[in-house]
Amino acid sequence: MNNSKGKRSNGDEHEDEDDEEEDEANGGGLEAWERAYADERSWESLQEDESGLLRPIDNKATYHAQYRRRIRSTPSTARIQKGLIRYLYIVVDLSRAASEMDFKPSRMAVVAKNVEAFIREFFDQNPLSQLGLVFVKDGVAQCLTELGGSPDSHIKALMGKLECSGEASLQNALELVYGYLKQVPSYGHREVLILYSALSTCDPGDIMETIQQCKKSKIRCSVVGLSAEIFICKHLCQETGGLYSIALDESHLKELLLEHAPPPPAIAEFAIASLIKMGFPQRAAEGVVSICSCHKEPKVGGGYTCPRCKARVCELPTECCVCGLTLVSSPHLARSYHHLFPITLFSEVSPSYSSKQQQRIPKNCFGCQQSLLNPGNKPGLFVACPKCSQFFCLDCDIYIHESLHNCPGCESLRHSKPVIDAEE
Amino acid sequence: MSPAPSVASKLYADDVSLLMVLVDTNPFFWGTAAANSSSLSFSSFLSHVLAFLNSIHLVNQLNHVVVIATGFNSCQCVYDSSETTNRISDDGLPAVYLKLLHNLEEFVNNDEKMCKNDFQTGLTSSLLSGSLSMALCYIQRVFRSGPLHPQPRILCIQGSPDGPEQYVAIMNSIFSAQRSMVPIDSCVIGAQHSAFLQQASYITGGVYLKPQHLDGLFQYLSMVLSFNDMTLILHEMQAFLFLCLAVWALTSTCSQMQTVFATDLHSRSVLQLPKPVGVDFRASCFCHKNTIDMGYICSVCLSIFCEHHKKCSTCGSVFGQPQADASKADRKRKAPGSPRHPRA
Ligand SMILES: [Zn+2]
Ligand SMILES: [Zn+2]
Ligand SMILES: [Zn+2]
Ligand SMILES: [Zn+2]
Ligand SMILES: [Zn+2]
Ligand SMILES: [Zn+2]
């Protein structure tokens, strides 16, 4: 099956390219900027009706043209999102400098709020990745949460311990994080994201050695500063391939943080592809009492059962504490699958074509059952799936490609696959 | 993964519903059901479905019902209450239902014709991914109709086993329904639970029900009767009384479906609905389309495989290449089958 899937997606790319060429031919001679205007010269579509009044512009066609431009401008390679597995420590500087109030109400409060948003976004975009939190204050680094996959437990821990005092120590933070990250599996990407408020660092030894150590272990270190640029942070990021940026205000801080949520493209090269054994536990019925293996406490309802050893765990993703199997929720993985199997672009069917072959064309959209005829029984603009040859209205075209990611026509045909293979 | 936020929280035209009913017409399933005298025949199943559709219109005349047939080779919309005028007539079978039965019969015959040479393939699933996708497109059209539209939901009445080859398409449909806050209710009338529909109902905040037998029916009946909240508005009282009657009148497995699925979303938040039996989160492997509860995941693209492969057939990554400067310990840890996550 896999082979045929692969073949099919190759086929898709061919069709895409063909479409692209066709497009070039249509817009032939026009510069890119001219084409943009050509699509939006809405005044030309103004029409008068019988009594001389202007008819409302058909926004639908314009909107659809914009959508098609958008979908074509995404190169087919970008449609495959790399689901890299990342292991990230967030280091939050809670030294005295974090109590400054140039950010309202204070740097610390603003950082906490935005780190929370970042954590949620991170897990949304990196389903199998793990994250941990480290605080720096009073010249020492302390681990707040270990690497884990549950956004809620990190956020709870973060919000519970917000006090700042003393000096910051970049070296202590890096040493602590290095100790944890060197143990992660080799398919994982090791990253550190530091939110640094202080203008100095109070280190016990030679920080340059620590930086080299991180570089050797392929730990990518990035810093988002809240005050001015400092040399040692810049050096750290340069050496380890990370990003160094300074936040000007709160919205800028948020933007800089969220830049770190999608997997960085550069480190994709570091990736050692690996097959990881995982289990998809069954969720227990509500109201069932059992003892969980993670907290060793009786729990009512919910919970998941390890498919290998049948131990009960409270939340996913996690590692079974009895047999060590990595346990994940399969829908969590499945959310990204539409990137792997994108559906073919539908081709536009022009009214002239359809009037010639009207017998063959059904009156209704295959998806929403809406009539494909304009008022007055004139055929409107619509699209057809090149694989199953079903017709769709423009609204369904957009919905199918941007949200549903299935072609209802192809999914409603048991034999669509062999037929395609025969055509190729 | 947490279930969808309460479906009742999104504001729709008050208590008018759009119900998309996906009816499994798989000839393989109904063929075996006919051979087994203890199970329901297709014709008596249809009479329950018709009684159910009728009850939806009785609860609120404005309710909008669309029926999509889920076949073995094809899917088709066979009934749309908005396309017919005189919906309710009190004697016998209204003309619109005759049309529904006629369309359905035609569809089943065509669907069966297409699978004459398919008896050897061993596939017995029906094309649920197709009818779900069609239903979602239809619902989007109703969303486009304006700010005041009926509350949409999907009811899958499914007898055939899951088709693992539809895994990705079904999950795509579930996520799209979740984003649009459309609950997917499931009524499984086959012998086995459906892992797809358990996940669909769990993720979208719908109800999953696999009716047992008559004893199960009385449980549901008493559950409905224990509902004596005095805050009931008149409309709900009527619906409630009707449902009780319906449950008493039809003492077969399918009448439970009316009690549970005819209640609108608002009543649902008050009414105690059957608790889920748990959720089967098994997935399908990309290599053989087997349903598995344990497997291997490609760390680059997250494809699922049931056995170890040298190369990912989805993204082309080659697995298990020792890294040039990896330490011995590193390589050991990477050995297939024994990955360790850090526990610092
Ligand atoms: Zn626990
Ligand atoms: Zn286990
Ligand atoms: Zn449509
Ligand atoms: Zn198609
Ligand atoms: Zn397999
Ligand atoms: Zn892969």
Side-chain angles (χ1 to χ4, degrees), chain A residues 346-366:
Chain A
F346 293 171
S347 40
E348 278 180 36
V349 182
S350 67
S352 59
Y353 164 84
S354 49
S355 59
K356 259 181 262 159
Q357 322 208 348
Q358 209 157 19
Q359 317 86 310
R360 211 175 64 76
I361 288 170
K363 285 196 292 291
N364 296 330
C365 162
F366 188 81

Side-chain angles (χ1 to χ4, degrees), chain A residues 83 130 180 278 319 330 337 368, chain B residues 141 176 281 295 300 302 341 344:
Chain A
Q130 302 198 18
Y180 291 132
M278 288 189 187
E319 188 176 287
S330 56
Y337 287 162
C368 67
Chain B
R141 170 181 154 195
S176 190
F281 278 123
V300 176
L302 309 183
H341 272 226

Side-chain angles (χ1 to χ4, degrees), chain A residues 291-297 299 312-315 321:
Chain A
I291 294 179
C292 78
S293 59
C294 36
H295 305 86
K296 313 274 188 291
E297 279 167 12
K299 291 267 163 85
R312 173 69 74 90
V313 296
C314 289
E315 55 183 25
C321 14

Side-chain angles (χ1 to χ4, degrees), chain B residues 52-72:
Chain B
F52 173 63
L53 297 184
N54 214 22
S55 76
I56 299 287
H57 288 311
L58 282 178
V59 167
N60 186 338
Q61 294 227 8
L62 294 173
N63 281 345
H64 181 172
V65 180
V66 177
V67 180
I68 298 176
T70 313
F72 175 78

Side-chain angles (χ1 to χ4, degrees), chain A residues 344 346 384-390 392 407-411:
Chain A
T344 327
F346 293 171
C385 169
K387 286 192 177 166
C388 63
S389 315
Q390 296 288 0
F392 295 94
C407 169
C410 297
E411 292 305 322

Side-chain angles (χ1 to χ4, degrees), chain A residues 1-3 5-6 60 80-85 87 89 127-128 130 146-148 180 182-187 190 216 218 270-286 304 307-308 310 316 318-319 323-326 328-338 340-341 364 366-371 392-393 395-396 399-400 402-408 411-415 417, chain B residues 1 71-75 77 83 114 118 123-127 129-131 133-138 140-141 144 165-173 175-180 198-199 202-203 275-283 286-289 292-305 307-309 313-315 317-321 323 325 330 333-334 336-337 339-344:
Chain A
M1 182 57 228
N2 238 319
N3 287 335
K5 268 278 191 216
K60 206 179 256 182
I80 294 193
Q81 195 184 38
K82 301 241 166 189
L84 300 166
I85 302 182
Y87 292 85
Y89 265 99
L128 292 181
Q130 302 198 18
E146 289 179 3
L147 284 172
Y180 291 132
K182 69 174 186 200
Q183 303 173 43
V184 311
S186 54
Y187 54 76
R190 305 150 186 208
K216 240 174 94 189
K218 297 208 168 81
F270 285 143
I272 307 169
S274 167
L275 268 185
I276 310 156
K277 186 152 196 178
M278 288 189 187
F280 313 119
Q282 188 150 348
R283 191 182 157 82
E286 309 294 325
Y304 300 86
R308 185 151 74 187
K310 310 292 172 219
L316 297 179
T318 186
E319 188 176 287
C323 70
L325 184 66
T326 303
V328 291
S329 153
S330 56
H332 211 141
L333 303 180
R335 268 182 202 279
S336 62
Y337 287 162
H338 65 87
L340 301 179
F341 310 112
N364 296 330
F366 188 81
C368 67
Q369 313 298 321
Q370 189 149 40
S371 170
F392 295 94
C393 68
D395 290 312
C396 280
Y399 172 67
I400 287 166
E402 306 224 306
S403 171
L404 182 61
H405 307 296
N406 288 333
C407 169
E411 292 305 322
S412 305
L413 261 186
R414 174 79 57 188
H415 295 297
K417 284 152 203 175
Chain B
M1 164 139 319
F72 175 78
N73 284 298
S74 52
C75 297
C77 179
E83 283 172 4
M114 281 190 268
D118 267 322
L123 287 169
T124 52
S125 60
S126 43
L127 293 168
S129 59
S131 57
S133 303
M134 281 171 85
L136 287 164
C137 284
Y138 193 99
Q140 293 303 311
R141 170 181 154 195
R144 289 192 296 267
E165 72 284 355
Q166 298 168 34
Y167 177 67
V168 172
I170 290 204
M171 296 313 285
N172 286 342
S173 307
F175 299 133
S176 190
Q178 184 194 26
R179 277 191 293 272
S180 316
Q198 282 184 354
Q199 298 185 48
Y202 176 72
I203 292 169
K275 285 279 191 292
V277 277
V279 186
D280 186 345
F281 278 123
R282 282 180 303 169
F286 288 16
C287 37
H288 308 86
K289 307 287 163 190
I292 51 175
D293 61 7
M294 235 186 293
Y296 295 90
I297 313 290
C298 166
S299 68
V300 176
C301 70
L302 309 183
S303 293
I304 301 175
F305 303 104
E307 55 188 23
H308 199 274
H309 292 261
S313 53
T314 311
C315 71
S317 302
V318 179
F319 302 126
Q321 262 180 343
Q323 207 189 0
D325 57 344
D330 246 9
R333 198 164 38 229
K334 223 171 51 205
R340 298 286 304 173
H341 272 226
R343 275 282 165 254

